[in-house]
Amino acid sequence: MIRISRAPGAATAIRVPVLAAARLPVAVTAACLVLVACSGGGTTGAPASAPSSSAPSSAGAVKKGDGTLTIGTVLPQTGSLAYLGPPMFTGVNLALKEVNEAGGVLGKPVAKYDTDSGDTTTNIASQSADKLLTQKVDAIVGAASSSVSESIIDKITRAGVVQFSPANTSDKFTTINDRGLYFRTAPPDKLQGRVLGDLVVADGNDTVGILAMQDSYGTGLADQVQKTVTDGGGEVVERVDYDPKAADFSADVAKIKAKNPKGIVLIGFEETAKVVAELVKQGLTVDKYKWYMVDGNMSNTNFARAPKGTLKDVKGTLPGAAAPEAFQKKLLAVNPKLTEFTYAAESYDAVTLIALAAEVAKNDSGAAIAAKLVEVSKSGEKCTGFKECVDLLKAGKDIDYEGVSGPVDFNEVGDPSVATIGVYQYGADNKFDAAKAVEYRQGNIAG
């Protein structure tokens, strides 16, 4: 049973019993609402789904690395999630700065290669993965988009390299055939979908329209929101899964307008700016309807050209705990031009966890790192930051890394077993305060 209280600015504990080695939907109950309801290209064939494990599946001894931990990134420099690139690259760079200032991993500085992930309209991610593999990386941080990660996961894990995404939220990755080499610091969409669906119903929207981009991220999250709204007593009167590459969204918005829902849920990436413009054009403005967004389109830059007040009071959800002010100052010291902070904490945590796992394994190979990631994330002496944690390791202690994004605590399939979703709200300037949510809701899946 999950109990949800709504205290502004405070995390809400959600405790869910889970069967070991099983990946089952989680039932959520809140007050009188039943929640049976977190973001997301390349072109290689998508791998088949199969049970996953936190330990590499190949038998025999784990091969020894070359002694230098090498990390690659496949993160958006171009494409529909390019606005998320700066915070993620900055999170990675901050973590590496701290790791190397503390003496590096296994006594050597960590090496890094950055590449672009592009989006699903290009083959950039596949080319980037190939390049990184030729550079003999031990772990790859990325991609941001779930669909992009899905297109390259088989190539990466087949090479014995860890793939660690700070932003993938598609539920598919819980059961995908990853050879025990895929991990993520972002929670699965089922949690964000439940929180958002609950929020929509709690705000008095008994009729709801959903406009979702048609890919594994958009449709999966829309499914969860729709189920939560329905189970909470609301009705999804129209749902449109649209082509994000479309030049025009007038017909899609017209379908929503025809059903006149009280609440409108927008699930997408940067193309949401065009959808918003069409909503305004057809009279579905925020003074008449309640809009809701998600991590893929919550942005302080994507709507900069919209007239003042276009997004006033619009609410949206973002996975992750509140980023401490001190952490944001550290990020800005690395990149003073940073305006977005989404998934910076998750990226920082990903790199720190990889480095700690290599230290514990005394081996920088991908398989060795993967075999220790669960261990360093829980069930030891709590610590924050690489230096504090590695000092404990040198003192012979077991560690439990407490991330900036949350506790992390990986389950047996590489998903965070504890996660927080923040609810944010736009002001009249079409921006939201990324440092302060209206409320935080925490999901704790207890084994």
Side-chain angles (χ1 to χ4, degrees):
M1 170 108 21
I2 298 178
R3 299 177 185 234
I4 300 178
S5 61
R6 300 192 181 94
T12 302
I14 306 177
R15 301 187 181 274
V16 188
V18 165
L19 296 176
R23 298 177 172 186
L24 304 173
V26 182
V28 186
T29 308
C32 298
L33 302 176
V34 179
L35 305 181
V36 200
C38 189
S39 100
T43 58
T44 59
S49 291
S52 172
S53 150
S54 62
S57 58
S58 55
V62 173
K63 74 173 184 177
K64 196 70 177 172
D66 63 7
T68 298
L69 175 61
T70 304
I71 294 176
T73 65
V74 181
L75 295 170
Q77 298 173 358
T78 62
S80 57
L81 283 180
Y83 79 94
L84 287 180
M88 288 194 283
F89 279 113
T90 306
V92 168
N93 292 338
L94 174 59
L96 282 178
K97 176 177 178 288
E98 293 182 356
V99 169
N100 287 334
E101 285 178 349
V105 172
L106 305 176
K108 294 182 179 180
V110 178
K112 176 177 70 79
Y113 298 100
D114 290 330
T115 65
D116 184 16
S117 65
D119 58 28
T120 53
T121 67
T122 69
N123 195 38
I124 293 174
S126 182
Q127 295 169 2
S128 293
D130 287 339
K131 179 180 180 181
L132 292 173
L133 293 176
T134 63
Q135 292 170 318
K136 306 297 183 184
V137 298
D138 304 301
I140 291 176
V141 177
S145 159
S146 292
S147 292
V148 173
S149 281
E150 192 177 354
S151 75
I152 58 176
I153 187 172
D154 195 46
K155 177 180 293 189
I156 294 170
T157 59
R158 196 170 59 232
V161 171
V162 168
Q163 182 176 358
F164 199 137
S165 175
N168 290 165
T169 60
S170 171
D171 292 333
K172 286 186 177 182
F173 292 104
T174 299
T175 55
I176 204 166
N177 181 12
D178 61 8
R179 300 170 178 85
L181 292 167
Y182 176 88
F183 294 79
R184 54 180 166 179
T185 36
D189 279 324
K190 56 191 174 186
L191 179 58
Q192 182 177 194
R194 291 181 185 122
V195 170
L196 183 58
D198 178 36
L199 175 66
V200 171
V201 175
D203 281 351
N205 300 292
D206 53 5
T207 56
V208 179
I210 299 176
L211 279 159
M213 66 183 295
Q214 194 167 32
D215 78 341
S216 61
Y217 164 67
T219 57
L221 186 48
D223 288 344
Q224 196 64 72
V225 171
Q226 183 169 356
K227 181 170 176 52
T228 304
V229 168
T230 302
D231 290 347
E235 180 185 3
V236 176
V237 294
E238 183 64 72
R239 171 176 165 177
V240 181
D241 290 11
Y242 62 81
D243 178 3
K245 299 185 292 292
D248 181 82
F249 297 98
S250 57
D252 301 313
V253 171
K255 292 177 183 177
I256 299 293
K257 182 178 181 178
K259 297 298 178 67
N260 196 36
K262 291 181 181 178
I264 301 174
V265 178
L266 306 175
I267 301 173
F269 292 158
E270 71 172 5
E271 83 287 345
T272 303
K274 295 179 181 179
V275 176
V276 162
E278 191 61 41
L279 286 167
V280 172
K281 183 179 179 180
Q282 296 194 29
L284 303 178
T285 51
V286 294
D287 57 332
K288 301 173 184 175
Y289 301 84
K290 293 179 181 178
W291 298 359
Y292 299 86
M293 294 187 182
V294 291
D295 58 316
N297 50 25
M298 286 289 288
S299 170
N300 280 330
T301 57
N302 200 26
F303 308 102
R305 297 182 180 179
K308 185 178 180 179
T310 298
L311 299 181
K312 187 177 185 296
D313 297 329
V314 171
K315 294 179 182 178
T317 49
L318 286 175
E325 185 178 352
F327 178 69
Q328 291 197 10
K329 288 182 178 179
K330 287 182 180 181
L331 292 169
L332 289 168
V334 173
N335 181 3
K337 296 181 180 180
L338 202 61
T339 58
E340 305 274 2
F341 295 93
T342 304
Y343 291 121
E346 286 81 359
S347 302
Y348 173 92
D349 289 341
V351 171
T352 304
L353 283 160
I354 290 168
L356 290 170
E359 277 284 342
V360 171
K362 300 187 183 333
N363 187 343
D364 59 278
S365 73
I369 291 167
K372 295 297 182 180
L373 275 168
V374 174
E375 180 181 325
V376 299
S377 76
K378 61 183 179 181
S379 302
E381 187 168 335
K382 294 186 184 302
C383 56
T384 60
F386 179 79
K387 187 178 188 312
E388 180 184 353
C389 293
V390 82
D391 285 349
L392 288 172
L393 291 175
K394 290 175 180 177
K397 305 279 185 68
D398 290 331
I399 62 168
D400 175 2
Y401 174 71
E402 292 285 287
V404 181
S405 65
V408 185
D409 290 3
F410 288 125
N411 60 22
E412 72 280 358
V413 296
D415 286 347
S417 61
V418 180
T420 300
I421 305 294
V423 177
Y424 296 81
Q425 189 164 4
Y426 280 90
D429 59 354
N430 298 328
K431 295 182 179 181
F432 65 95
D433 186 348
K436 185 178 181 181
V438 176
E439 64 172 310
Y440 295 97
R441 302 186 186 188
Q442 187 180 84
N444 182 6
I445 304 176

